[in-house]
Amino acid sequence: MPSPKTTAFFPRLALAALILSSAGAVAFAATPTATAAPATAQSAAKAVPGAPVPAGSPQQTGPVHFQFAIYYAKTPATDPMAALRSQLAKLGGSPKLLKAAPTPATATEPVVFANWNTTTVLKEYRAPSMEMLQRFGRGISREQAEALQTADKALIIDFAHPAQQSSAAMQKALQLTLQVARDTNGLLWDEETREVFSPDEWQKRRIDTWAGGVPDMSQHTTIHAYRSGDLVRAITLGMSKFGLPDVVVSDFSWSSNRPMGNLVNMFSQAMVEGATLAQPGQYDLDLRALKHAAARDPQLTHLKPNAAAVARLSLVNGTWESGDPQNRLYEIRFDRYKGPDRYAQQTAMLVSVFGADEDSVTRLKHNDELLAASKAANAQLPKLRDAFAKGLQPGEYILVKAPFTTRSGSNEWMWVEVARWNGDVIEGLLKNEPVEVPNLHAGQMVKVSQAKVFDYMRRYADGREEGNETSKIIARMQGPKK
């Protein structure tokens, strides 16, 4: 029997990097795992990295193809191929079961090809490791994860259909794969998002979340975020199942991970709902105009009163990196917003779209208690610098509070998220909007001196925080809020 690599519509992807934590639909990854450069839609379209994406629909014109699989740690309850044929008969023969794998271009109707593999799974289609399953396993028990380590049987199912039939064909593919897994007592694998599901979790996330024929894309994709250089890069996995480009955002900070993930999810949702670009490289994403209520409403609920709820996106062809999905890439940029650099423009977009609490200035004199707390914080900085040099965990970041000279010559103390730390020089993103310091903006890359740092705050990937003791003292000095 042929191996999965020779029967699939496209080659199996290597597993993504270790995911260490997650926030919403965003997964933190240390580094991407190497895969071959894409030889499919991106190269076929001859997309020039950095060039504006074309106007019109982002939907691909050629057939959509994707792969699911069902793993078996022991002999399945019934023959998987018989179960597949039975379910196809109940669906009315669509998709059409093929005896041999076609080339994607020949998919003029919904088709499916199945490879019941009992010989090369451990070598060429091995289930994820225990460590991976702790992060990629959805509804998987420890016992199931352990059993998967020796799984040597899998039903590998390739689907293809014309792009214009994407939503209806995807719903059938999801239902078909689920029912076969239930009938045969298997666990489901999504090749594009690189996740393993229990049947109940597949039902919950992949089937029950559709509304009016529209999927909630946050349940059909994942976002991997990892440090790239001094800052963070995030990319979706799974958009190609719908014939759409995956979405990339680069050069943001870990403290912006959640709003950036929300932005990416909402743009992905807009595309699956039929968004089109009126002109090359530009799209105005209106959160309130999204049709899928379960995808839209949680975002609207958490908007600040000053939120515009509209993101003016710049879109360019993304630059493919090792570990990225084999797909077209749309990269979001922020140059339609004002700011002295791309970091400030990025912050301006997030504040405009989601709103923000207004920064205020507290005017006070440093008393002995405050100075003692600052001195204690400063004593911890060498240890923090060493930890930063060794490499923080994905999702972890350090803020320092440093002075900036005002118009009057006094100091305005503001937080900076550390991006680089060399000796006494700390470079990072300004996290406050200055009140009395001209020519500075929130999100701007700035330099400060370690020797002048007043306090620090370290936030770990699991949400724990340490430091920032001076803020507690300042709060007491101010007294209760009226």
Side-chain angles (χ1 to χ4, degrees), residues 240-317:
S240 65
K241 294 179 296 185
F242 294 84
L244 295 167
D246 279 288
V247 183
V248 179
V249 185
S250 300
D251 290 338
F252 64 94
S253 65
W254 280 123
S255 64
S256 299
N257 184 57
R258 187 174 293 277
M260 200 63 75
N262 291 339
L263 180 70
V264 169
N265 277 331
M266 294 301 95
F267 178 49
S268 300
Q269 187 67 36
M271 284 197 287
V272 84
E273 292 183 7
T276 59
L277 279 67
Q279 54 184 308
Q282 292 189 10
Y283 180 69
D284 291 348
L285 171 62
D286 186 346
L287 304 189
R288 296 188 175 96
L290 295 175
K291 301 171 185 176
H292 196 297
R296 177 195 68 226
D297 292 348
Q299 300 300 324
L300 301 183
T301 300
H302 292 95
L303 295 179
K304 299 288 185 179
N306 57 351
V310 176
R312 293 180 282 114
L313 305 180
S314 289
L315 299 170
V316 301
N317 296 318

Side-chain angles (χ1 to χ4, degrees), residues 171-182:
Q171 283 187 287
K172 283 193 174 183
L174 292 166
Q175 293 164 353
L176 173 64
T177 309
L178 171 64
Q179 196 56 54
V180 174
R182 288 197 187 280

Side-chain angles (χ1 to χ4, degrees), residues 86-317:
S86 174
Q87 290 305 318
L88 283 170
K90 293 178 182 178
L91 287 173
S94 178
K96 180 182 178 181
L97 180 63
L98 302 178
K99 294 181 179 180
T103 60
T106 64
T108 56
E109 60 179 329
V111 295
V112 58
F113 173 74
N115 171 18
W116 172 222
N117 190 306
T118 61
T119 58
T120 63
V121 169
L122 285 172
K123 183 179 179 181
E124 298 188 40
Y125 213 91
R126 194 179 189 95
S129 67
M130 287 293 293
E131 197 170 36
M132 290 287 187
L133 285 170
Q134 289 177 5
R135 284 86 185 179
F136 287 105
R138 310 304 181 201
I140 305 296
S141 69
R142 182 173 183 83
E143 291 73 21
Q144 289 172 316
E146 289 174 343
L148 276 176
Q149 302 312 295
T150 57
D152 60 356
K153 302 175 182 67
L155 181 67
I156 301 160
I157 312 173
D158 287 283
F159 295 90
H161 53 257
Q164 62 268 27
Q165 300 179 34
S166 184
S167 290
M170 173 58 77
Q171 283 187 287
K172 283 193 174 183
L174 292 166
Q175 293 164 353
L176 173 64
T177 309
L178 171 64
Q179 196 56 54
V180 174
R182 288 197 187 280
D183 291 346
T184 57
N185 196 28
L187 298 174
L188 300 101
W189 166 259
D190 184 329
E191 179 71 13
E192 284 299 313
T193 63
R194 310 168 194 177
E195 300 167 287
V196 178
F197 296 80
S198 69
D200 286 347
E201 201 68 17
W202 184 277
Q203 174 90 43
K204 175 183 174 182
R205 295 179 184 233
R206 294 296 174 85
I207 293 178
D208 293 346
T209 54
W210 289 68
V214 176
D216 179 347
M217 287 303 286
S218 69
Q219 302 301 313
H220 294 266
T221 60
T222 58
I223 304 174
H224 285 189
Y226 59 92
R227 184 167 291 278
S228 178
D230 297 319
L231 294 168
V232 180
R233 181 178 186 262
I235 184 167
T236 62
L237 286 81
M239 294 294 289
S240 65
K241 294 179 296 185
F242 294 84
L244 295 167
D246 279 288
V247 183
V248 179
V249 185
S250 300
D251 290 338
F252 64 94
S253 65
W254 280 123
S255 64
S256 299
N257 184 57
R258 187 174 293 277
M260 200 63 75
N262 291 339
L263 180 70
V264 169
N265 277 331
M266 294 301 95
F267 178 49
S268 300
Q269 187 67 36
M271 284 197 287
V272 84
E273 292 183 7
T276 59
L277 279 67
Q279 54 184 308
Q282 292 189 10
Y283 180 69
D284 291 348
L285 171 62
D286 186 346
L287 304 189
R288 296 188 175 96
L290 295 175
K291 301 171 185 176
H292 196 297
R296 177 195 68 226
D297 292 348
Q299 300 300 324
L300 301 183
T301 300
H302 292 95
L303 295 179
K304 299 288 185 179
N306 57 351
V310 176
R312 293 180 282 114
L313 305 180
S314 289
L315 299 170
V316 301
N317 296 318

Side-chain angles (χ1 to χ4, degrees), residues 371-439:
L371 292 172
S374 178
K375 184 178 179 180
N378 203 273
Q380 298 298 313
L381 296 181
K383 183 177 71 174
L384 289 176
R385 183 179 60 198
D386 291 344
F388 185 84
K390 290 177 181 177
L392 303 179
Q393 295 294 321
E396 180 181 358
Y397 57 90
I398 296 172
L399 302 173
V400 295
K401 185 182 285 187
F404 295 84
T405 304
T406 67
R407 295 184 183 90
S408 63
S410 59
N411 287 326
E412 185 173 341
W413 301 84
M414 292 184 283
W415 289 103
V416 175
E417 184 173 348
V418 179
R420 291 183 286 272
W421 198 335
N422 297 309
D424 182 66
V425 179
I426 299 173
E427 296 181 67
L429 301 179
L430 187 64
K431 303 306 292 184
N432 301 108
E433 188 63 48
V435 175
E436 296 185 359
V437 182
N439 303 320

Side-chain angles (χ1 to χ4, degrees), residues 331-344:
E331 180 171 349
I332 296 176
R333 292 187 179 174
F334 308 92
D335 51 20
R336 295 175 67 191
Y337 289 81
K338 293 182 179 179
D341 57 31
R342 64 184 184 275
Y343 313 110

Side-chain angles (χ1 to χ4, degrees), residues 452-471:
K452 296 182 179 180
V453 167
F454 190 72
D455 202 351
Y456 77 92
M457 183 173 68
R458 181 177 184 178
R459 184 177 178 87
Y460 293 88
D462 61 7
R464 289 180 297 119
E465 292 182 357
E466 69 175 40
N468 197 21
E469 294 298 320
T470 60
S471 291

